[in-house]
Amino acid sequence: MLKKFLMAGLVAGTTFAFAGQALAHGDVTPQAVDTSGLPKLGEEWEETNPFREDGKYKARAVEIGSSAYNQNCARCHGLQAISGGIAPDLRYLEADYEGDEWFIERVTNGAVRDGKVYMPKFVGTISQEGLWAIRTYIDEQPED
Ligand code: HEC
């Protein structure tokens, strides 16, 4: 498992001209996320972000999502989701059902083409609660 993720990092590192620089900012291995304070969602995926609507969990979700994003996503997608060009700018992912569907697709499968791992998968390392927390944090970033 660990080796696979390290390999993924190496492959991504040689694939993107700037990735070497970006990877220096963080560890390549997906990091588990402490989601205490959020309700347990179970194995089955929610169809849409359960923390997006203002409610008693939103603030905690943004807080968890902020640190989890910085640890796991920022090295490719940029700080505060502002892309430096290595990977898509996640600020433009619509904060709606379709955006959520695409988000789930990517974090479940990563992005692999011709055997090259452009993005590792995160499901299995980060819980559903942790991934929706990241999604909530991304939703909160202004588009400009
Ligand atoms: C090793 C670099 C890397 C890391 C780390 C990474 N991504 Fe990605 N991500 C990419 C690349 C490259 C793409 C574009 C893939 C493609 O279209 O083929 C992408 C695409 C996406 C997309 C689809 C965006 C779109 O507009 O199509 C989402 C959503 C996404 N990533 C979320 C995340 C989240 C959330 C994390 C952290 C948990 C993360 N990524 C970590 C490289 C990365």
Side-chain angles (χ1 to χ4, degrees):
M1 196 70 167
L2 181 65
K3 199 169 162 212
K4 206 168 131 203
F5 282 127
L6 289 175
M7 281 303 295
L10 286 178
V11 172
T14 50
T15 304
F16 298 100
F18 300 106
Q21 209 182 344
L23 292 173
H25 292 298
D27 201 55
V28 171
T29 312
Q31 301 291 307
V33 173
D34 174 8
T35 57
S36 55
L38 293 180
K40 293 262 174 294
L41 299 171
E43 293 297 307
E44 190 96 354
W45 270 81
E46 301 287 327
E47 289 194 349
T48 195
N49 184 358
F51 307 133
R52 178 175 297 129
E53 299 302 322
D54 265 313
K56 72 176 184 183
Y57 299 115
K58 185 169 182 179
R60 180 68 182 140
V62 172
E63 185 184 18
I64 291 171
S66 166
S67 100
Y69 177 88
N70 284 328
Q71 273 185 301
N72 290 287
C73 321
R75 66 176 173 272
C76 294
H77 290 283
L79 290 172
Q80 295 175 301
I82 302 171
S83 172
I86 297 167
D89 197 308
L90 299 181
R91 291 175 299 165
Y92 300 109
L93 197 63
E94 293 296 335
D96 62 9
Y97 177 82
E98 273 175 36
D100 287 344
E101 221 182 2
W102 192 221
F103 178 85
I104 295 172
E105 154 69 23
R106 278 303 184 220
V107 295
T108 303
N109 300 313
V112 182
R113 272 193 306 275
D114 300 331
K116 287 191 190 122
V117 179
Y118 293 90
M119 171 175 156
K121 68 180 182 123
F122 288 90
V123 168
T125 310
I126 304 180
S127 63
Q128 178 179 182
E129 295 82 358
L131 286 164
W132 283 129
I134 291 173
R135 174 75 170 127
T136 311
Y137 167 76
I138 293 170
D139 286 354
E140 288 297 292
Q141 301 312 303
E143 284 191 11
D144 47 31

